[in-house]
Amino acid sequence: MTLDWAAGSGRLSAGGASLEWSTWGSAPGRDPVIVLLHEGLGCVAMWRDFPEALARTTGCSVFAYSRAGYGQSDPCALPRPLDYMTREAKDVLPDVLDALGAERVFLLGHSDGATIAAEYCGLVADYRVRGLCLMAPHFFTEPQGLEQIARARDAYSNAGLQAKLARYHRDPDCAFWGWNDAWLSDGFRDWHVGEVIDHLRIPSLVIQGHQDTYGSIAQVDEVVDRSYAPVEILVLPDCGHAPHLEHRDAVLMTIVEFITRLERIEAAEVETVCKR
């Protein structure tokens, strides 16, 4: 069942769970829809005013949803399996995109959401997806990233992070421990999904903060070295793990240029085919 875009928000069924969603901009039409996939502790509300600015700046429709265990969506079973991002890509995101009812889509993911977006395009043949925007993606674990996640555990238990997350998640324990326990489990140290990049056949834009403590430039290099399709890069100085919040204008401008260029190329290809 296609969701009611005009409602602005609602719930949809995907992967066996009821998930919250919100929209910005006009209903899907000729222009593509940008689908936002949030970070490991994120949700619809934690995108703040970025989706509205994205819709206004690009002229595209924008759609965001909270995965199970986050925001106001249904809780998830704990502990999360170590391949939870792969399962989100294969078992949940297809249902979300079907409910969206858009003919053309750009996936824009942040952190865990970027990994899920890349896995989807590397594992699922979906010709609706025209391009990928990956902000602070991770394809393998790094010592400094695991150290930062361990610090987050202390902050959640002792430094007020639980109260902060409770403003956004109806079950902050589910949101936090589902993410934190998975990343800090012994089995996750060998986690590596870089092979999905080998199967990407659409252009990617990778955005990374130079001071990101969760992942290094090595994550960007993984995409550049392995992708068969074109890759564009934006590395931002004086920027941590949230480029869209820390350097919003630069991120918006780069995304606009990326989408505009791909739209122009696709239009030219269609015109050439028609003339033949």
Side-chain angles (χ1 to χ4, degrees), residues 58 93 96 148 157 196 202:
T58 62
L93 188 51
V96 172
Q148 193 68 19
S157 299
V196 300
I202 56 175

Side-chain angles (χ1 to χ4, degrees), residues 148-232:
Q148 193 68 19
I149 293 170
R151 292 191 188 100
R153 172 172 289 190
D154 181 65
Y156 189 79
S157 299
N158 305 305
L161 181 57
Q162 183 180 30
K164 178 181 178 181
L165 292 179
R167 298 200 298 265
Y168 298 99
H169 305 286
R170 74 177 187 182
D171 188 344
D173 284 347
C174 183
F176 182 82
W177 295 117
W179 166 79
N180 196 265
D181 282 346
W183 274 89
L184 294 182
S185 65
D186 290 338
F188 208 81
R189 293 183 180 274
D190 296 325
W191 174 80
H192 197 305
V193 294
E195 68 276 1
V196 300
I197 303 169
D198 301 339
H199 303 286
L200 296 181
R201 293 297 181 266
I202 56 175
S204 300
L205 168 64
V206 186
I207 301 175
Q208 180 77 22
H210 197 269
Q211 281 72 42
D212 189 344
T213 54
Y214 285 93
S216 72
I217 300 300
Q219 306 288 341
V220 179
D221 293 339
E222 187 81 357
V223 183
V224 173
D225 293 343
R226 302 187 73 147
S227 179
Y228 175 86
V231 179
E232 299 180 28

Side-chain angles (χ1 to χ4, degrees), residues 234 236-240 242-252:
L234 174 65
L236 292 160
D238 301 317
C239 182
H244 61 298
L245 301 179
E246 299 172 53
H247 291 271
R248 190 178 75 165
D249 290 346
V251 168
L252 286 172

Side-chain angles (χ1 to χ4, degrees), residues 29-53:
R30 188 180 65 178
D31 294 327
V33 177
I34 302 175
V35 176
L36 303 182
L37 292 91
H38 62 75
E39 63 174 314
L41 292 178
C43 63
V44 169
M46 290 183 72
W47 286 105
R48 302 183 190 176
D49 63 349
F50 179 73
E52 182 179 3

